[in-house]
Amino acid sequence: QQQQQQHDATKPTNTNDPPLQITRAAKLYAFCAALNSCNLGYDIGVNTGAGILVQNSLGLSDVQLEAFFGSLNLFAMVGALSSHIIN
């Protein structure tokens, strides 16, 4: 019986307690995280298509172009880590 209670975190430990609720803030944070992932995927897709044009117009080598695409993830991490400032 204890194992069943340990596996079901949404059920209250005391039968008089109400079930745990997902707060509005938690839903908002999950939505923002999902939207951020969509935006990053869109940016990578657009830059992949534009990569050849950027490489040709700026005269970048393959290594420089890879560094550009790699920096997208780096800046996404910096943005995620600094998001607490605006929250």
Side-chain angles (χ1 to χ4, degrees):
Q1 187 178 19
Q2 285 182 339
Q3 289 177 340
Q4 186 179 7
Q5 287 179 350
Q6 289 174 351
H7 292 297
D8 194 359
T10 60
K11 287 189 177 179
T13 56
N14 187 353
T15 56
N16 296 332
D17 292 340
L20 297 176
Q21 298 292 322
I22 298 174
T23 63
R24 188 174 181 178
K27 291 178 183 179
L28 179 64
Y29 295 147
F31 173 76
C32 289
L35 184 62
N36 183 40
S37 296
C38 292
N39 287 338
L40 181 61
Y42 177 78
D43 290 343
I44 290 172
V46 167
N47 286 327
T48 299
I52 295 172
L53 299 173
V54 170
Q55 186 178 20
N56 291 337
S57 66
L58 297 178
L60 299 176
S61 68
D62 288 339
V63 173
Q64 290 171 325
L65 188 64
E66 289 176 18
F68 168 70
F69 286 129
S71 67
L72 292 176
N73 291 329
L74 175 68
F75 291 122
M77 287 188 294
V78 171
L81 291 173
S82 62
S83 66
H84 72 281
I85 295 170
I86 59 173
N87 192 1

